[in-house]
Amino acid sequence: MNKLLELLCGLLSGIALFAIMALTFFDVLGRKFLSNSIPGSLELTELLMVVVIFAALPLVSRRGEHVEFDSLDPYLPMWLRRVQQVVVQCICAAALLGLGWLMWKTGADFAQTGETTAQLKIAKAPFIYGMGVLCALTGLVHLALVFQKPHDRFEGEGAAL
């Protein structure tokens, strides 16, 4: 399951990031050499950023790579760190599952009203639905993390210097 999550989310995020890079490259070339930028490049970049961020979110959560305050962890007993982890993961899961549900509802509203981007008239609903699904998936990742033991981070594993 972890491999499938990493493959699908990593591929989706990577393709969108590459598309942003290519779009920016050709947009700058067009402006510099042809005095004309790609129409709607800002809108496309914004939509692709949504894909990058929300597709990477389950991976960041799964790997525990969020910014965290752990200065007190060495001084806390393991049982208290375990309780803290369960509480934090449950709160994150509830927030992300709730956010996923709200985004799904918003996507349905956008689909019903036919909401589009201003310049290119790209439908917004599929992106909102995708955000909702990826938030819910991240919520499920946090629920799975409830059952893992807390671990110490060492130098090179996301620890602050």
Side-chain angles (χ1 to χ4, degrees):
M1 191 65 152
N2 284 334
K3 294 289 183 193
L4 183 64
L5 179 74
E6 287 195 24
L7 176 69
L8 293 178
C9 289
L11 195 59
L12 184 61
S13 188
I15 289 170
L17 189 58
F18 182 81
I20 290 171
M21 180 194 67
L23 177 63
T24 303
F25 177 77
F26 288 114
D27 191 44
V28 169
L29 280 181
R31 273 189 271 141
K32 292 291 181 189
F33 297 113
L34 304 174
S35 298
N36 196 7
S37 65
I38 297 173
S41 62
L42 179 62
E43 281 183 359
L44 289 172
T45 301
E46 288 172 348
L47 293 173
L48 289 168
M49 281 304 295
V50 164
V51 175
V52 170
I53 292 165
F54 283 88
L57 191 59
L59 299 178
V60 170
S61 291
R62 177 69 189 101
R63 294 175 185 164
E65 293 178 344
H66 290 291
V67 174
E68 59 185 40
F69 177 78
D70 60 357
S71 296
L72 299 177
D73 284 357
Y75 306 107
L76 297 176
M78 186 54 80
W79 69 268
L80 187 55
R81 288 179 56 201
R82 176 74 181 127
V83 169
Q84 176 191 32
Q85 178 193 353
V86 168
V87 169
V88 168
Q89 298 296 354
C90 286
I91 290 170
C92 288
L96 285 159
L97 288 168
L99 188 58
W101 177 73
L102 287 173
M103 287 184 174
W104 190 266
K105 279 183 52 178
T106 302
D109 292 343
F110 278 25
Q112 186 177 22
T113 60
E115 185 84 22
T116 62
T117 60
Q119 189 174 5
L120 297 176
K121 304 297 182 204
I122 298 171
K124 290 182 180 179
F127 292 92
I128 305 296
Y129 281 135
M131 291 164 62
V133 167
L134 290 165
C135 275
L137 180 61
T138 306
L140 295 176
V141 166
H142 280 280
L143 281 179
L145 291 174
V146 166
F147 302 103
Q148 284 191 347
K149 289 175 33 177
H151 61 280
D152 292 319
R153 293 192 192 277
F154 299 104
E155 199 69 38
E157 295 182 22
L161 299 177

